[in-house]
Amino acid sequence: MTRKPAHLAVYDTFADWETGHTTAHLARAGYGIRTVGPTREPATTLGGVRIQPDLALDDLRPEDSSLLILTGADLWDSGDDLAPFARTARAFLDAGVPVAAICGATAGLAREGLLDDRDHTSAVSFYLTATGYGGGERYVDADAVTDGNLVTAGPTEPVAFAREVFRLLGVYEGEVLDAWYRLFHDSDAAAYAVLEKAAR
């Protein structure tokens, strides 16, 4: 079965640690990972890694994608440079294509009004309150939250973020999804046997 690629947004000050579990295991499950930047110019992550985007944001269409992944970045809180990514997230959700946002990207979605009517989480509730958004009553104090086609998580929860993406896309389910989470979040060696059995 041919899967549409997952698109990983990359921009300066991209938080390197937030999507590694997600993209690595999506790739192992047969999803191509395509990077999308503001332009085709290289982006530099918080860790100093330079990434050459596969395509520019203006060339990204929801119908060509399985998922849009938005990571945290200092730029989400220092101006409107990344607002076009939040607008693209709106286009994806309107088209029924999933979006997964972690850390500062949740603030971008809040400013775009995408969290006003959806359950969501972030670093802490008052971080989103500072955006002036209208979704405070829908904030959930949890490691990661899925509402429809939208996944949100805080910066300390990259494994829970990945778990919700896998659940949403059907990459892992049930006992296998639980075992994957226990292995990578809790270092539960017993979970490895479940995953090994499922891989046979």
Side-chain angles (χ1 to χ4, degrees):
M1 175 177 158
T2 302
R3 303 180 191 275
K4 294 179 182 178
H7 286 88
L8 173 65
V10 294
Y11 23 69
D12 287 341
T13 71
F14 169 106
D16 307 64
W17 63 93
E18 292 178 345
T19 62
H21 290 89
T22 302
T23 54
H25 290 272
L26 285 177
R28 293 186 79 173
Y31 289 86
I33 305 298
R34 304 266 291 157
T35 53
V36 55
T39 67
R40 289 289 311 280
E41 292 299 310
T44 302
T45 72
L46 279 173
V49 177
R50 284 170 57 83
I51 300 175
Q52 176 71 55
D54 293 312
L55 70 160
L57 186 61
D58 285 347
D59 297 324
L60 177 62
R61 302 183 311 167
E63 58 265 33
D64 297 329
S65 185
S66 292
L67 170 72
L68 175 62
I69 305 168
L70 300 173
T71 70
D74 290 348
L75 289 179
W76 285 112
D77 298 319
S78 62
D80 295 327
D81 288 354
L82 299 185
F85 285 93
R87 290 193 292 272
T88 298
R90 177 180 291 283
F92 267 62
L93 292 170
D94 287 348
V97 181
V99 172
I102 187 169
C103 188
T106 62
L109 298 190
R111 291 184 191 98
E112 182 64 19
L114 294 175
L115 304 184
D116 288 354
D117 301 310
R118 294 177 172 92
D119 290 344
H120 60 277
T121 194
S122 184
V124 288
S125 61
F126 56 81
Y127 171 61
L128 294 185
T129 300
T131 69
Y133 85 130
E137 292 185 358
R138 302 294 296 266
Y139 187 89
V140 181
D141 189 10
D143 56 7
V145 172
T146 300
D147 187 327
N149 280 330
L150 178 65
V151 173
T152 53
T156 61
E157 298 294 344
V159 180
F161 180 68
R163 178 197 65 209
E164 294 303 301
V165 169
F166 302 155
R167 188 196 318 272
L168 183 59
L169 296 182
V171 173
Y172 303 126
E173 298 175 317
E175 179 184 53
V176 175
L177 180 63
D178 178 66
W180 183 90
Y181 181 75
R182 287 188 290 112
L183 178 63
F184 287 96
H185 187 267
D186 303 327
S187 300
D188 182 352
Y192 182 79
V194 177
L195 296 175
E196 188 177 55
K197 181 180 179 183
R200 290 182 190 147

